[in-house]
Amino acid sequence: MSLTHARAILPAVGTAHAAPLDDAGALAALSTGCFRFSPWVAPCGADGIWIDATGVSHLFGGEDRMVARIARVLAKSGLTARIAMAATPGAAWALARHGRAPVCVSTSTHDLDPLPVMALRLDAGTARSLWRVGIKTIAALKAIPRATLPLRFGKLLVTRLDQALGHAPESIDCIVPQEARRRAIVFADPISTAEDIRRCTEKLVRGLCEDLEKRQEGARKLDLVFMRTDNSHQAIRVGAGRPSRDLKHILKLFAEHMDTVAPGFGIDKAVLTAWKYAPLFPTQTDSDGGGQHAGDLAQLTDHLANRLGESAVYRLAPAATHIPERAQNRAAPAEDIPASAWPTCLPRPVRMFSPPEPVEVVSLLPDHPPARFVWRGTLRKVRCADGPERVCGEWWLNRDEVAEIRDYFRVEDQDGARYWLFRDNRLTPNQSHLWFLHGVFA
Amino acid sequence: MQNGRTSAALRHLTLGHLKETLRGLERAEGFRAKTGQAALPFGIAALDSLWPEGGLPRGALHEIAGASADAGGFAAATAFTASIAGRLGAGRPNAPVLWCARGHELYGPGLAGVGLAAQRLIVAEARNDKDLLAAMEEGLRAGVLAAVVGEVERIDLTASRRLQLAAEKTGCTALVLRRPGKRATPAPITAASRWRVGPAPGSGAQDFYQIPAARPWRLELIRARCGAHGSWIVEAPDAQGHLRLPALLADRSLGAPVWQNVA
Amino acid sequence: MTGYAELQVTTNYSFLRGASYPRELVMQAADLGLSAIAVTDRNSLAGVVKAYAAATDHKKKTGQEIKFITGCRLDLACGRSLLCYPQNREAYSRLVRLLTLGKRRVEKGQCHLTYDDVATHGEGQIFIALADAALGDFPDESLRNFLTRLKGDFRHQTYLALTRRFRPNETPRLEALAELARDCRIPTVATNDVLFHKSDRRILQDVVTCIRLGKTIDTLGHDREWSADRFLKPPAEMARLFSRYPEAVEHTQAIAARCSFSLGELAYQYPDENLIPELTAQEALEKLTHEGAAERYPQGVPEKVKRQIAYEMAIIGKLKYAPYFLTVWRIVKQARKIGILCQGRGSAANSAVCYCLGVTPINPDEQKLLFERFISEDRGEPPDIDVDFEHERREEIIQWIYNTYGRDHAAMTATVIHYRSRRAVREVAKALALPEDIAAGLVAAIWGWSESGVGEDRARALGLDPNDWRLKLLIRLSKQLIGFPRHLSQHPGGFVISKDRLDDLVPIENASMEDRTVIEWDKDDIETLSMMKVDVLGLGMLGCLRRAFDLLRDHKGIHQTIAGIPRDDPALYDMLCKADSVGVFQVESRAQMNMLPRLKPRCYYDLVVEVAIVRPGPIQGGMVHPYLKRRQKIDPETYPSEELRAVLTRTMGVPLFQEQAMEIAIVAAKFTPSEADALRRAMATFRNDGRIHEFADRFIGGMTRNGYEKDFAERCFEQIKGFGTYGFPESHAASFAILVCASSWIKCHHPDVFLCAILNAQPMGFYQPAQLVRDAREHGVTVRPVDVNASRWDSVLELDPGNPKGYLAVRLGFRLITGMKEEPVAALVAARERPYVSPRDLWRRSGVAVTQVVHLAEGDAFASLGFGRRDAIWSVKALRDGSLPLFDAAPSGGPEFAEPEAVLRPLTLGGEVAEDYVHLALSLRAHPLSFLREKLRKHGWMSLDSLKNKKDGAYVNIAGLVLVRQRPGTATGVVFVTMEDEFTHANLVVWSTVFERYRSEVMTSRLLACSGKVQTEGNVVHVVVRELFDLSHWLKALAQDPEEMSVALPGAAAEMRLASRDFH
């Protein structure tokens, strides 16, 4: 359904832009929260979570109770969920997404029979092909001699069917893809001192960095979660501008926040997970100090941002616009700035005042440069000038800019200093024009 | 050849410091071997010949201030600093410049116009001089930058010495850009060179409706470790950051010598 | 004060560059007091005729002259640009040839020219070199070299442009340019590089730039034109801006004075047609006409016709139009020779000469001809003969014309493709980076040809905030963009043929279609310059008739022609009076079907009236009801005045035809004939430019002064307005009425042949194959499904021994199956020496690709082999193209595969019908609604046949599938919706107020339910709609098998294809 169609039905329907990255982040956070149910949890697709309940359901008093507990916990956080527990990942997936009951524990493979073939994790094309010949349910599919299937619908169909029914194994790797990017320590005796926490953190980070080293990867976002004995958890999240597996660097990032961890009655488990990771190949480290690589620079900007504030460290990214103050944007230090920057034929000041400073000007209409002007209380006589450079407002942004036209002048005063002034061509209520000083040239 | 450059610093140093400084110098030496030069030439013989190295020494602290305490002087100082910083990393790919600023007046298009491209610039805004100096030092020590610029109003001898040491250690050049402050004469600092720069008055405009393309500056070297000082009329840097001497013909109208070394 | 002429002007005919029309620019220049204006579009002369016409009109209207200079901006391959103005006719020809040369080299819409090309065509031109390679750039060596070269080649014809840019360093830049010009001894000239006529077009300028570059306004960046000052300025302002260079301003005057060429000088000459060596064209035409007359009238040419011929010949001779007639005669003769049906239409049917030449079908002996409507000495307007050819074979005629006259003497006319509402809203929305969704929602309710854009009310109806700035901009800017030329396309069939080289007159470019060349001017331009064109049009019905005649000959041994069809066959009129006209040419629309039983046509002239009456002209003019009442003898036949009796007598005193409206203007409002014609043309122009009120005042004023009632005068004027765009002259209606006769006759006597022919001529007409098949079945024709062992590409006739009416059966052709291609079908039929036994057998023997066999299976073409749809698909799914040699060692007919048998669940009947609609767009099994009947009944929606017993004014609730939505002519009028169910059709009338409320339901529903009031008139029943409900989602349930789980397939695959046709 399109938005306009939806609005035709319900004009007051609210809208929000899709934010897949944020959604994925939230799902990852929710997955983290699910550690309490099982040590092996992973996001599944864009809207699901795998929980491997092998050997843990007894801790919750049986499968039904475990499922009910999960549903309760999620409901408490305001989430509606469909939950299914079954003998195979495939069956659980099918029942959670296509089963009738929102929460169920499957006891028999026949539970799958009435489900549509799409429940077998098929692509839309295969599902449609099956539909065409009237095979719409898993029961109908089971009734077809399986030897006839691969030729017509591909091998994956039979594999998926077998996986769901438990005839074929499904690799556990596949459902816990984060395995190697995670380290955990369980404490027999709960810890609570800052020193213990620091030591355990270092141990976790060291281990994780080794894992990452083996995989030639670097982490961009790390979560350190401390599970407390009271079933709540405390988390520290740090981000790196570029992928990193530098022990010292990561520890330094965590160190800044370590004092926020409140151990309560004790911590019995600590888990370190790298959520965002990317390939990172070893680079030659120059010993002379003159060579450098992006990783070191990222460490520097990470540290500066940690000290001065995240928004205080930035690059000036060129923006293609005629409006001078919009020609530069702040960009994250790790961001790549395009090489093609500002047009060179336009002389621009090295310092620009934001907002522009009002000045009093004597000039001839309609478009002559100022003859003299007063700025910050000082009268300046103009000896020569260039202009106007006529800049039109960006009418698409708002109504006010439709009529906005500025005439920019470069002027040189009697001392040889050069200024950038503009006249706002819109008339003020008392039929005059406002002038501003926008920048100073070198 | 290090005489002029180190004499001032040496006087107050203990032996341990001395050793460390020597190591730093050796490193700078090694750095020179690597990059082929320890100095940044201006491309103007009159300036470059002042230094035995043939240009502004790298891996050192330099101070630049406006000739006047007004906006015009500060803008010229900013542009001069940017042109040096821009050229410092120009030969080496990805060698960025950290600009520790105290406000948000820096204007990228203008800086690019004097040779500091946006791709090479990282800005760090500090709330006070203390944070700013710390950030500068961290930048210098990181060893990944071509230059670190700091817009400082107040800086004392100790602070400047720390920066100087950090610069020597990694070969990164520190540029202190003095913000015009309330105090008339800023406190002296340890610097390999100290500059004053500002628009040269008396540029001849014959036509009110034309600004001459040439931009004359008065550039003054107040003091350098090599002992040189002087003042020159030069043209503001071009888009590659190069200063130029005013062309003979074009400059006749200035009514001033082409360049004058008052040393 | 010195004068100023603007010499650098880009109009919106430099597509998506300029933001004003040529006319606007010329008028603004005149208002500002400029002495002259040139149009210099990029490598193009597409806009110059419009500007020329505007300047001419201005002079005619005000007596003041604004000199118009024809010019062009030449963008050379080297990156340099020049403005070029021909000083005289010879130079103009050279410029045109230069452009043709550049355009013929490359693909449509582009032009590739080098300096050397310019050099060889430069004699007699004035050049202005442009220095704006990059704005703000200073002159460099390359410009100096360029100028030196220009100066060397063209001495005193060369200037250098000085243009203010309002960018930094303007003064030194102009100074440097002036100095360079001095050095090169080239005078400077001031230009303003105009992009639009007034400053407020600046915003639209940015939008068209976005559209041209395919960017959004947010990402346009530095590609945005620095456009603040690129509008026309008064001479005083230009003098002020160039106060340092007064000579540059003066030179504009000098250039204007030197360019004495005017487009009015283009003396167009028609080619001599030396068909018969010793005779002149006129003599040859007379000879051919008399021979033709002897053929047309075997019993001897009637006196009346002889007189008419003589009269026409005299005028043709005087105006020297004989060669033009000979050309048309040749074209028609050629078509007959290769067996293509053709027939003249339009005003040419007013000519006895055309009838005798075999061009038009209207017999002057039977019909009053108005030769003046066709050719008039007063109007001095060239004749315009339009000939329809079978749609599919028209290309043969087109290529024959190219080959006969040569590509440098014959080319097709251009059609300017303008922005209309939908496209304008879509592209502006894209440029403003508004979601596609919003644009789609806004345009969904726009009728295709609308030119009024969308309003805030529509936005509000969609739940959008009309105060949103971008949405406001979208609404405003898309309205501005509507009417803008977007690109040149080729006219559907207009040919310009000239005696002199055509590329001396107008640039010729390649068309996007292969082997076609097109001139840069459209039909209005050609008319402005009095050039003659022949329209070679395509008409689907002619193809259908040819097929029908072939079938009659092959299957029934009947030899029939259009001319041979009786025009007085009572059976035919009986059929039409019952509105039994599905598929019949012109009178098959719902509005026409409503009219038929009221008008009750009983003779050929009634059909002429029938064709013309259901048109916007008579409807808007309120002439329909008066005519019907007089016809039914309810009202007496009266005439507004004696002088109009002669004009109106054949239509019982009510003006119905375009000619009559024109004659009223002349007789009653005292227009001169040429004024009346100007009036007609003013109405026909795409955008009325404010002149309509002038005409209204003159027309209505004139009539009331002459003693006519104001009401009648106003209605006549309304009618003229309606005629303007959608007018039917009587002669045109008469030509069409002949095709109505022909198609009715075949449908009436040979519905089997008619169905077969019309199915094979699809797409054409109002109805989908589903309705055509249904109609034929209701008339007793057996229709057989597509079958791999019986069908061919086209539908064919088969013997049907048991048919009570003796009709043949129609076997549906493979072309009806969606996705089917013609070549594989040929292979399939060729390899069918014995019947196919299975999908696999067919695939193996015919070599048809699997994808095509799948289409056959989905189209249920294997049913006769015992393979239902699902079985056939199952079987095809196992096939792999290319695996033939490997698996096919076994002899054919052997066991196919040692694979276990799968038992598939058969489709339900509802499922089959749904699949039929998806893949064939029709079903022979049952009507889709028969499956929903129970559900509809439960909800209180009655079947359509229940209307029969309802009284006038009764309230009903009905539901049906939407067949046709039609909004006749007028923009604010009613919408007609035709729907059907398993029993019959029904017509809904949706008044505009109701339509506004149910816009979405009317426009998008496939299954529609409605509450409303029955309105009966005679035996015509309408439902006047009060409320509407969209039940389309019910159709999804149709395909589902109640035994199977009600599981839904993701995506739209299960949606039924129940397309409707919309007419606007």
Side-chain angles (χ1 to χ4, degrees), chain A residues 223-435:
Chain A
D223 278 344
L224 181 57
V225 183
F226 297 101
M227 306 284 184
R228 299 203 317 199
T229 46
D230 59 358
N231 251 343
S232 68
H233 63 269
Q234 303 241 306
I236 304 174
R237 170 162 293 182
V238 296
R242 283 169 189 272
S244 169
R245 56 167 177 266
D246 184 318
L247 173 68
K248 270 163 74 184
H249 180 52
I250 294 173
L251 278 177
K252 200 166 170 189
L253 293 174
F254 276 124
E256 308 249 343
H257 305 278
M258 207 48 94
D259 50 1
T260 62
V261 177
F265 296 109
I267 291 164
D268 57 2
K269 184 174 177 184
V271 182
L272 175 66
T273 313
W275 289 117
K276 282 185 176 171
Y277 47 91
L280 175 66
F281 299 105
T283 38
Q284 294 100 336
T285 33
D286 296 333
S287 50
D288 62 57
Q292 60 241 203
H293 48 80
D296 293 342
L297 180 63
Q299 288 190 10
L300 172 65
T301 52
D302 287 348
H303 291 153
L304 287 174
N306 248 355
R307 173 173 303 158
L308 301 172
E310 202 151 341
S311 61
V313 183
Y314 53 87
R315 286 176 183 265
L316 295 177
T321 166
H322 291 174
I323 311 294
E325 64 268 32
R326 294 181 190 143
Q328 65 181 18
N329 289 325
R330 289 185 178 194
E335 215 164 286
D336 279 328
I337 302 292
S340 65
W342 298 280
T344 50
C345 61
L346 302 173
R348 290 291 182 255
V350 288
R351 289 196 179 268
M352 166 176 278
F353 301 119
S354 165
E357 301 187 2
V359 281
E360 284 164 46
V361 166
V362 177
S363 77
L364 283 174
L365 282 171
D367 56 10
H368 288 269
R372 60 186 91 98
F373 64 96
V374 179
W375 177 50
R376 292 183 180 170
T378 311
L379 173 75
R380 286 161 216 269
K381 279 193 193 131
V382 174
R383 199 165 45 186
C384 59
D386 177 63
E389 176 187 345
R390 195 156 287 175
V391 174
C392 296
E394 298 186 317
W395 49 263
W396 56 93
L397 297 178
N398 59 60
R399 194 185 308 261
D400 297 337
E401 300 217 13
V402 173
E404 178 163 356
I405 296 177
R406 300 178 190 169
D407 275 356
Y408 275 90
F409 295 90
R410 274 189 300 152
V411 303
E412 183 172 312
D413 71 1
Q414 71 275 16
D415 298 331
R418 289 185 181 182
Y419 301 93
W420 210 30
L421 289 88
F422 72 87
R423 180 187 54 221
D424 188 332
N425 276 356
R426 290 172 292 192
L427 278 176
T428 58
N430 52 8
Q431 299 300 301
S432 60
H433 291 288
L434 295 177
W435 282 82

Side-chain angles (χ1 to χ4, degrees), chain C residues 739-757:
Chain C
L739 297 182
V740 175
C741 249
S743 51
S744 308
W745 182 84
I746 298 173
K747 179 179 160 70
C748 179
H749 297 288
H750 305 281
D752 45 356
V753 169
F754 189 68
L755 175 67
C756 194

